[in-house]
Amino acid sequence: MGTILCPSRVKTSLSEGALRPSDLLAQFKQIGPQTRRHISAAELLDNTVELIREMVYTSTMAQSSLPDLLSEEDMQVLLQATGCSSEMQRPLCKTGCLSERYRSFTGECNNRQHPKWGAANTPYSRWLPPEYEDVRGVPRGWDPEHTYYNYTLPPVRLVSQDVLYTHNENISLDSSLSHLLVEWGQWIDHDFALTPQSPSTAAFRTGADCTRTCSRDTPCFPIQIPLSDPRTGIQSCMPFFRSAPSCVGSEAFTGATPHHHREQLNAITSFVDASMVYGSSSPMAAALRNLSSPLGLLALNDQASDQGLLFLLVTVCLWVKLPVFCCLGDSRANEHLGMIALHTLFLREHNRLVRELHLLNAHWSPDTLYQEARKIMGAVHQVDTLLHYLPRVLGETPTSLLMPPYRGYDPEIDPSIANVFSAAAFRFAHVTVQPMVARLGPGYSLAPQHPPLPLHHSLFASWRVVQEGGIDPVLRGLLLSPAKLQMPGQMMVEELTERLFQAQGGMPLDLGALNLQRGRDHGLPGYSSWRGLCGLSVPNTTSDLAGILGNPGLAEKFLLLYGTSQNIDVWVGAISEPPLPGGRVGPLLACLLAKQFRALRDGDRFWWEREAVFTSTQRAQLHTVSLSRIICDNTHITRVPSDPFSRTVSPEDMLACSHPLIPHLNLSAWKEPDTGAVLLTLIPHLNLSVSP
């Protein structure tokens, strides 16, 4: 993959190529060869079993006997024939000092007894059994006439229009939190979850193109446009692909073992390990390194300069009339300007750490420098997320109650990302996104050469970073801009519900509808079931729901749409709860987020607070980690807030990078003696004579 960069061609290709929004959405879920092999094998297995079911069912067998259709022996033959058997093999865990010192790229063998827990290319965990439309794993709402608790499910686009839609101008700003907090949520989400969509783009039975058909036929699960929708007459549906199945626990197992259901795959490691910077496989990690460097550097693009600093590597990711260039690595870096800025920032930070460590430990090999910097980077993300990000989301008091102090690694805890967390709970921040992307010049002033942008003009627009001032204006905008405040009647801005990918041509998508459809695709139970799991009251009446939501009008709207609180999609129900004191999420989201982050912390053998991972001196230094310091060290920005996640009202409140409240990470705690040099100093004092 070359280090090419042609910004003008990128811009032209987007304007002339008529990319469909679904094309761009697919680009955000680019996966590696191992993941492609896995989901192709899983899809082949599911399709094979479905054909067998259909042939038998249409001939002699009654539907009630379908669970006994395939024996365990039959399934083993199919697993072998489709390639799923090789994907399900238990990995062999290495022993030795390196395996104790550094985590694997894939996340395998983090837990020695359960080497697949938290690893890439394993299914999401389930905290509640899925509720599909049938035993085969058909999504909720597949049949519009199918009833749940005596009510049909409303079209997701109708829910988006009635509950979520918010005019860009009709928003309230958060008085306490910066937009960098919103961006960090998406950034860290890209560290532990990536759900690949089906490898097929055409319907299994009919061969219809999923981007053009409005018929439901796996993997096509199009979002229908209701008659009341403003888009009626323009389009009948929005394209939607089902998430790819996993070989482990895929819907095919329902034939042999009814307790198994269709499960979706997490293509990356579940751990907070900065895998969006380094990759979740050895081949990707190698592709991102500068292997010609004697220092263990990551590769950056040397053909374009950000005032002397370098950009990400890029490669051709799409061909339309002209090539479309994307940043190399995690494909989601290309989603919008904020993601590109953070990816660039942390690649630069890795290289800065490597050079500093080399000055301290000239005897370290390139691999040691690379791995030690990677280890520090993982710890930086753990510190910033658990100590700084999460308390602002949950609130300080709920955090102290829901996140008890760290007590060490627990090998009985599964750190895998839960399906409900990935497909619903951690999408809460979508309702805190501002409709405008602020870009600011030096001194945090408006600059005519890079003005503020409507959000949809910043999507898939990596060329803007190169041509319009680099990453500094974007980061300044994130630091000074407040987050959007989530309130009833002010849920999701129209930039996301009506203009998603509009700038690239084609009919825009609706992020709210996509979120709801994804939850149904994954068989997530309804809102009330999750409140029950968390030990919260379950609403049975309109007044119950109104009391929980603190809004009788919203409660009535929900029950008019869904009929019963049992049917409310968990994502939209959870984001509708009023926030806990000092936080930005309600009781249900606080429960689900804390449950997941506790598992990520306590089930990680390489968690930064574990005594065997860093020395006490190193841990003390890591505790002082500051995102503001990282911005100072890797950009031309000279003034930053002491707390980058809190709202800074005025540029005058920013601090100079030299201020004591913006501390440096003192890497002297990582200095090791050169054993060779030590031995040379000891030789004169050693009695090396050999007795006869």
Side-chain angles (χ1 to χ4, degrees):
M1 297 184 178
T3 57
I4 48 178
L5 191 65
C6 304
S8 61
R9 295 181 73 191
V10 177
K11 184 174 181 179
T12 304
S13 66
L14 290 177
S15 61
E16 293 182 1
L19 286 172
R20 295 173 297 186
S22 55
D23 295 329
L24 296 177
L25 191 62
Q27 287 305 313
F28 294 161
K29 295 194 175 187
Q30 286 297 294
I31 52 178
Q34 184 176 349
T35 306
R36 284 196 292 272
R37 286 195 303 270
H38 186 117
I39 61 177
S40 295
E43 188 172 71
L44 179 59
L45 176 65
D46 286 352
N47 289 342
T48 302
V49 172
E50 179 59 21
L51 283 174
I52 294 172
R53 280 199 185 96
E54 287 186 354
M55 286 189 294
V56 174
Y57 176 57
T58 54
S59 56
T60 59
M61 190 172 273
Q63 188 172 10
S64 60
S65 61
L66 284 179
D68 300 322
L69 176 60
L70 295 170
S71 67
E72 290 285 357
E73 293 76 14
D74 294 332
M75 284 304 307
Q76 291 304 317
V77 171
L78 288 178
L79 288 169
Q80 188 71 36
T82 57
C84 269
S85 288
S86 61
E87 298 297 327
M88 296 164 59
Q89 290 179 352
R90 180 186 175 96
L92 296 175
C93 295
K94 297 179 181 178
T95 57
C97 62
L98 289 181
S99 65
E100 293 297 325
R101 190 176 181 97
Y102 307 122
R103 64 171 82 236
S104 65
F105 290 109
T106 63
E108 291 178 341
C109 300
N110 189 297
N111 187 307
R112 297 288 186 176
Q113 289 73 42
H114 305 280
K116 286 283 193 178
W117 277 4
N121 299 316
T122 57
Y124 291 107
S125 63
R126 292 276 187 181
W127 294 341
L128 286 176
E131 293 183 5
Y132 289 114
E133 200 154 283
D134 68 1
V135 296
R136 297 183 293 108
V138 167
R140 290 163 60 88
W142 183 265
D143 177 1
E145 302 303 317
H146 186 89
T147 59
Y148 299 82
Y149 303 98
N150 298 318
Y151 294 95
T152 58
L153 297 181
V156 294
R157 173 66 180 170
L158 181 62
V159 178
S160 177
Q161 285 280 296
D162 284 4
V163 177
L164 301 173
Y165 175 83
T166 302
H167 285 289
N168 287 340
E169 298 78 17
N170 184 33
I171 62 170
S172 299
L173 302 180
D174 197 310
S175 61
S176 302
L177 301 178
S178 75
H179 212 278
L180 185 58
L181 182 91
V182 179
E183 207 69 33
W184 187 263
Q186 184 175 13
W187 170 249
I188 203 69
D189 176 68
H190 292 181
D191 193 4
F192 46 55
L194 172 59
T195 311
Q197 71 178 29
S198 167
S200 299
T201 59
F204 173 55
R205 292 176 182 81
T206 65
D209 182 348
C210 287
T211 62
R212 301 182 184 278
T213 182
C214 287
S215 298
R216 290 176 296 278
D217 187 357
T218 295
C220 315
F221 185 26
I223 295 171
Q224 303 300 320
I225 304 297
L227 293 176
S228 59
D229 198 296
R231 299 194 191 195
T232 299
I234 303 174
Q235 63 181 142
S236 301
C237 65
M238 295 181 197
F240 183 94
F241 293 83
R242 293 201 71 184
S243 295
S246 166
C247 281
V248 182
S250 75
E251 66 173 329
F253 283 87
T254 56
T257 49
H259 62 279
H260 284 292
H261 304 274
R262 179 186 178 104
E263 297 295 355
Q264 291 75 34
L265 195 74
N266 188 0
I268 62 176
T269 71
S270 292
F271 303 102
V272 183
D273 57 2
S275 61
M276 67 292 219
V277 177
Y278 298 99
S280 288
S281 70
S282 295
M284 177 55 75
L288 295 173
R289 282 185 64 173
N290 180 354
L291 296 176
S292 64
S293 164
L295 298 181
L297 298 173
L298 290 173
L300 285 167
N301 196 314
D302 58 5
Q303 295 191 17
S305 172
D306 184 1
Q307 302 176 65
L309 300 174
L310 299 182
F311 289 110
L312 303 175
L313 286 177
V314 296
T315 187
V316 175
C317 60
L318 271 176
W319 282 90
V320 193
K321 291 183 179 179
L322 290 171
V324 176
F325 293 96
C326 301
C327 297
L328 187 62
D330 190 312
S331 60
R332 295 167 295 179
N334 303 286
E335 283 191 19
H336 57 86
L337 300 184
M339 282 297 97
I340 295 169
L342 288 178
H343 271 276
T344 306
L345 181 74
F346 280 103
L347 259 71
R348 292 175 183 173
E349 174 66 1
H350 169 92
N351 287 355
R352 189 193 70 81
L353 288 171
V354 161
R355 292 186 177 98
E356 294 265 343
L357 291 170
H358 175 65
L359 293 176
L360 291 169
N361 301 290
H363 59 289
W364 278 3
S365 69
D367 281 347
T368 299
L369 289 167
Y370 169 84
Q371 290 287 7
E372 287 293 324
R374 173 177 172 246
K375 188 175 178 181
I376 293 170
M377 285 270 280
V380 166
H381 283 79
Q382 292 169 2
V383 170
D384 270 332
T385 302
L386 271 290
L387 297 188
H388 305 309
Y389 170 80
L390 200 59
R392 286 164 176 77
V393 172
L394 303 185
E396 293 286 350
T397 300
T399 300
S400 64
L401 294 173
L402 295 169
M403 295 288 295
Y406 182 67
R407 300 186 184 279
Y409 170 59
D410 186 346
E412 299 303 312
I413 292 179
D414 183 358
S416 300
I417 296 296
N419 209 312
V420 68
F421 181 83
S422 174
F426 210 55
R427 301 184 181 210
F428 77 92
H430 291 168
V431 295
T432 63
V433 174
Q434 280 248 38
M436 295 294 293
V437 175
R439 297 185 294 173
L440 300 172
Y444 292 86
S445 59
L446 290 174
Q449 63 269 34
H450 35 73
L453 288 170
L455 179 61
H456 69 280
H457 283 299
S458 82
L459 303 177
F460 214 84
S462 55
W463 59 270
R464 289 189 184 277
V465 172
V466 179
Q467 293 187 351
E468 298 179 1
I471 68 171
D472 293 9
V474 179
L475 289 172
R476 289 192 199 98
L478 292 173
L479 288 168
L480 193 64
S481 298
K484 171 190 166 294
L485 198 61
Q486 183 271 326
M487 298 173 61
Q490 297 184 21
M491 293 289 219
M492 183 175 281
V493 295
E494 60 186 295
E495 287 292 307
L496 295 175
T497 63
E498 307 305 314
R499 299 174 185 170
L500 190 65
F501 304 140
Q502 184 181 47
Q504 280 73 46
M507 290 302 299
L509 301 177
D510 173 353
L511 183 60
L514 291 174
N515 287 347
L516 294 165
Q517 195 84 331
R518 188 64 63 198
R520 296 181 182 185
D521 173 31
H522 289 207
L524 297 182
Y527 172 68
S528 293
S529 298
W530 294 104
R531 283 191 58 92
L533 173 76
C534 287
L536 302 169
S537 63
V538 175
N540 293 313
T541 65
T542 304
S543 60
D544 288 345
L545 185 60
I548 291 170
L549 301 182
N551 189 308
L554 183 57
E556 290 176 2
K557 185 177 290 185
F558 270 133
L559 294 181
L560 185 64
L561 285 165
Y562 288 94
T564 169
S565 63
Q566 293 281 357
N567 286 349
I568 297 173
D569 293 285
V570 57
W571 174 70
V572 74
I575 62 172
S576 298
E577 293 182 352
L580 294 171
R584 292 298 180 270
V585 297
L588 176 54
L589 279 173
C591 163
L592 297 176
L593 297 184
K595 181 178 174 67
Q596 182 68 75
F597 280 107
R598 281 199 314 271
L600 288 171
R601 180 191 69 180
D602 298 343
D604 185 356
R605 185 161 59 91
F606 294 94
W607 188 257
W608 78 279
E609 292 174 280
R610 189 180 180 218
E611 288 189 2
V613 176
F614 293 101
T615 68
S616 59
T617 308
Q618 289 170 345
R619 289 197 300 273
Q621 280 300 311
L622 288 169
H623 204 278
T624 69
V625 159
S626 164
L627 185 53
S628 286
R629 180 76 256 163
I630 293 173
I631 292 172
C632 284
D633 289 341
N634 295 282
T635 69
H636 301 286
I637 296 173
T638 58
R639 297 183 66 83
V640 291
S642 59
D643 177 4
F645 290 153
S646 293
R647 180 178 181 182
T648 304
V649 176
S650 168
E652 285 72 33
D653 296 327
M654 301 288 181
L655 302 177
C657 285
S658 58
H659 196 282
L661 291 178
I662 316 295
H664 289 272
L665 174 63
N666 187 348
L667 291 174
S668 62
W670 277 262
K671 183 174 176 58
E672 286 185 355
D674 185 336
T675 53
V678 171
L679 183 60
L680 287 173
T681 62
L682 292 176
I683 285 176
H685 307 286
L686 296 176
N687 182 1
L688 299 178
S689 61
V690 179
S691 301

